Amino acid sequence: MIVGTVEDLGFVPEAVWDDLTLNIERDPKPESRSIAEHEGRWVGSLRRFSTARLRSWGFPDLVEDAESVISELVTNALVHGKGDRIAFRFLLTATVLALEVDDGSPGRAHVNEADPFDENGRGLFIVNELSTLCGVSPDGAKTWCTIPTTPRRSQ
């Protein structure tokens, strides 16, 4: 993972087609509490919102990867975030879709090495595999990734 922010990628403002941040207000989460049902619904809502935006901009081929990444990033923020707010950012440029989640928690996210029978622990590995770049802000509060809007070249 890269330490830095989406802004560090140096997007030219004229190349930004869509840039929206949505905030999820939540009750501060005690260490042992699971995700509240009404908070968990945000995962599907943000997936549907992003799918609609991608289709309206003519990128239906990005929907599946974007939905998977959104599920992982937002769920991680809901499970591990301790603050009273989670911010989800959808940034679409001429060359890349950037997705960012800020859970307000200090400490960097890390990729787990899950055992074959573990039910959890693969989220950031999935994000890393579906994106071209992924990173975390220096304070650890924001986790982000980018997916190219142009076809990938075969390797």
Side-chain angles (χ1 to χ4, degrees), residues 82-116:
K82 307 286 187 265
D84 60 358
R85 179 186 67 85
I86 293 172
F88 169 79
R89 184 176 183 192
F90 176 95
L91 174 67
L92 184 65
T93 75
T95 59
V96 70
L97 167 65
L99 300 167
E100 177 183 81
V101 176
D102 180 347
D103 68 8
S105 296
R108 294 193 180 127
H110 64 279
V111 179
N112 287 333
E113 293 200 23
D115 290 327

Side-chain angles (χ1 to χ4, degrees), residues 27-40:
D27 297 326
K29 181 177 159 286
E31 193 67 35
S32 62
R33 194 187 92 198
S34 61
I35 301 171
E37 184 179 337
H38 69 280
E39 291 174 354

